[in-house]
Each structure stands twice: as structure tokens, then as C-alpha cells.
Amino acid sequence: MFADLIRTFNLDILNEQFRRRNATVGLTVFAVKKYIVFLQKFLETAETYFMVGHRVKYYIFTNRPEAVPNITVKAGREIVPLRVQNYSRWQEISMRRMEMISHYIQQRFVHEVDFLVCVDVDMWFSDHVGVEILSDVFGTIHPAFYPYERTRFTYERRPESEAFIPQDEGDFYYAGGFFGGTVAEVHKLTKKCHEAIMADKNKSMEAVWQDESHLNKYFLYHKPTKLLSPEYLWFNENWNPRFLKKMRFIEIPKNRSAIRNKRDLH
């Protein structure tokens, strides 16, 4: 059974159906260390394009809550800074996302929102991203692997890892920077991925692409009920291939080595 692939939709009908549910969407991002510099553009563009007309809570995981920009948001929307530990390695920060989301679902999110959308912060919204993405659990096809067969996917291939996927398995390569669903389903996903990450850690192992590797393993055996195209996670606004009708959520160009510099302790 395969997920629906989102290409076209009647937005008016979907918005009316969602309003009748009286639901709230939580949007989680991690703005830790130098990644805090991306937060203003992320939030400003989210206010323009993300879930317009609906209630939203922006959950900002950061080691610097005082640095979260003071942006005026629309009625029914709220910025919620959540303090997290400052880990020295960016890989550790990446892997701890699953743990933090799972923890806060139990402690807070389950009481405040109905859906969670979990994304990267070093991005900006450039077009509509709305209720058409929502489902029990959704994943996004990674833009770098959209045209390729699974033999090209960079799954974790070491059998000792909990994220291991054999060469003859796998449908898609999913992006770690855009997934979500109902609070209950996202809790199942993040809890399972965190447990697998910690099992690897106890074996002194780290999956090749950290939490993204474990997300791909989870989706191999727990298929998403909705599949988003690379429109919802694109990596180069200057490259627009023919199959891409819109660029809705785009990576901000950056010097990765400078941003991830482990000597930065702020």
C-alpha cells in the first residue's frame, strides 16, 4: 500500500474541512548554536505561506531562547521557545531531535496541538504550504534522490546498525527535514527512531545520515499515509527542473563548515 503523492488539490475545500475540525498545527524547528541566524527569515516567511488562516504554534528548540526574534504573528498563532542543551557536535544535535520531539509530545504537545510538522530551520517558505500536507503520517521525497533508483539511495548499509536497509529494499529516500502527522503518529515515529539511535550509540555506532537514516528505516516498515514531492523541500532556488511545478520550501545558501563549526559555544 503506497501513500498519496501530493501534486494537485482544491485548497478551498481542504481549508473548509480543516476549519471544521477546529485543529491546531505545531511546527517544530531546532535553532541551536549558529543556526539561530536562520530563524527570522524562517518565521517571517512562515507567517506569509505556512498554514495561512489556521492556528499554529511555532515550537522553537534552541539553546538561546533570548535570541529568538520578536516577530509579530497573526491571531491564533504563537511562537514558543523551548530551551535545549547545547551539544558540541552538530551530528549529536541532529540525532537528539527525535528524543526532544518525543519528550515534548508527551509533556506538552499532546495537550496543545493536533498535528506536528517537523522541519529544518535553515530554510525559507516561498509558496503556499497548507493543510494539503496533513495526514496520519507524511514524509517528503528527498530532492537529491527524486529521479533515481534505490541503488543510488544513501541508506545505512552496515548490518550492525539499527538503521540498516538491505540493497534490495526501500521505496523512496525520505528527507529528514520535512515530516509529520498527527501528534500520536509523530510520537510513535520519534520514539522508535530515538530508541534505535540510542541502541546504535550503545554499540558505538552512528548512522551515516544520523536521524535521517533512522527515519528512512522507520518509513520502510511503517509507510507514510501521504507522500510529499520535492516541491516541499527544495535545495536550490536557481535550479528549476521541468518536473518541479513550484518551489514551496527552499534551503538557504550557507557555508556549512562555518555554521557547523564545533568551536562555536554560543
Side-chain angles (χ1 to χ4, degrees):
M1 179 178 174
F2 291 96
D4 295 329
L5 178 61
I6 295 301
R7 291 194 181 93
T8 59
F9 45 86
N10 187 314
L11 188 57
D12 292 336
I13 293 174
L14 291 177
N15 277 328
E16 183 58 29
Q17 290 173 338
F18 192 75
R19 289 189 188 98
R20 291 178 182 179
R21 298 180 65 171
N22 197 31
T24 301
V25 178
L27 181 63
T28 73
V29 291
F30 282 71
V32 179
K33 299 170 70 173
K34 290 182 178 180
Y35 277 79
I36 196 77
V37 302
F38 301 114
L39 194 53
Q40 179 139 353
K41 185 170 185 178
F42 175 90
L43 288 170
E44 288 176 346
T45 58
E47 275 296 284
T48 301
Y49 295 113
F50 182 76
M51 299 291 165
V52 175
H54 301 293
R55 293 199 303 271
V56 173
K57 287 185 179 291
Y58 297 106
Y59 293 120
I60 313 299
F61 291 86
T62 181
N63 63 309
R64 299 173 59 196
E66 72 283 354
V68 173
N70 184 21
I71 293 173
T72 301
V73 297
K74 300 179 182 69
R77 299 160 80 97
E78 180 184 4
I79 296 173
V80 183
L82 300 169
R83 183 180 291 277
V84 295
Q85 183 176 342
N86 178 13
Y87 293 96
S88 60
R89 299 172 60 244
W90 69 263
Q91 294 94 335
E92 187 75 15
I93 295 168
S94 176
M95 290 190 294
R96 291 288 177 176
R97 292 193 300 180
M98 295 296 188
E99 177 186 19
M100 291 294 99
I101 294 170
S102 175
H103 171 77
Y104 272 95
I105 285 173
Q106 290 180 295
Q107 297 298 315
R108 180 169 185 166
F109 300 165
V110 68
H111 306 296
E112 297 183 348
V113 297
D114 303 281
F115 292 90
L116 281 171
V117 180
C118 307
V119 302
D120 287 343
V121 72
D122 53 340
M123 309 284 294
W124 62 286
F125 293 89
S126 59
D127 208 313
H128 166 88
V129 176
V131 298
E132 77 281 353
I133 70 174
L134 299 176
S135 185
D136 286 347
V137 60
F138 65 84
T140 306
I141 297 176
H142 196 296
F145 299 100
Y146 183 78
Y148 298 122
E149 299 293 327
R150 64 185 172 199
T151 55
R152 300 279 296 273
F153 297 167
T154 55
Y155 292 146
E156 173 57 66
R157 299 301 190 185
R158 292 171 295 175
E160 307 83 35
S161 172
E162 297 296 317
F164 168 65
I165 296 178
Q167 291 284 349
D168 60 348
E169 294 189 34
D171 304 311
F172 304 99
Y173 190 89
Y174 299 95
F178 202 121
F179 67 90
T182 64
V183 171
E185 289 299 323
V186 175
H187 183 242
K188 291 177 187 177
L189 183 160
T190 53
K191 183 174 184 290
K192 183 70 173 178
C193 288
H194 170 59
E195 290 171 350
I197 289 168
M198 296 311 293
D200 272 4
K201 194 176 182 69
N202 289 336
K203 293 180 282 189
S204 300
M205 293 192 70
E206 186 176 282
V208 60
W209 292 112
Q210 296 83 42
D211 54 327
E212 184 173 84
S213 297
H214 291 279
L215 176 72
N216 273 275
K217 177 63 174 286
Y218 183 87
F219 278 156
L220 176 60
Y221 298 114
H222 307 82
K223 302 296 186 191
T225 52
K226 187 169 285 186
L227 183 61
L228 306 184
S229 81
E231 287 186 7
Y232 290 90
L233 185 68
W234 195 243
F235 55 83
N236 187 342
E237 65 179 309
N238 296 316
W239 182 43
N240 189 4
R242 285 189 299 174
F243 71 80
L244 196 71
K245 304 304 181 185
K246 289 180 179 290
M247 290 183 283
R248 302 177 186 274
F249 191 47
I250 306 173
E251 183 178 358
I252 298 172
K254 59 190 154 304
N255 182 331
R256 290 183 182 275
S257 62
I259 288 293
R260 292 173 172 176
N261 188 341
K262 66 181 180 180
R263 290 176 295 178
D264 174 37
L265 300 179
H266 296 293

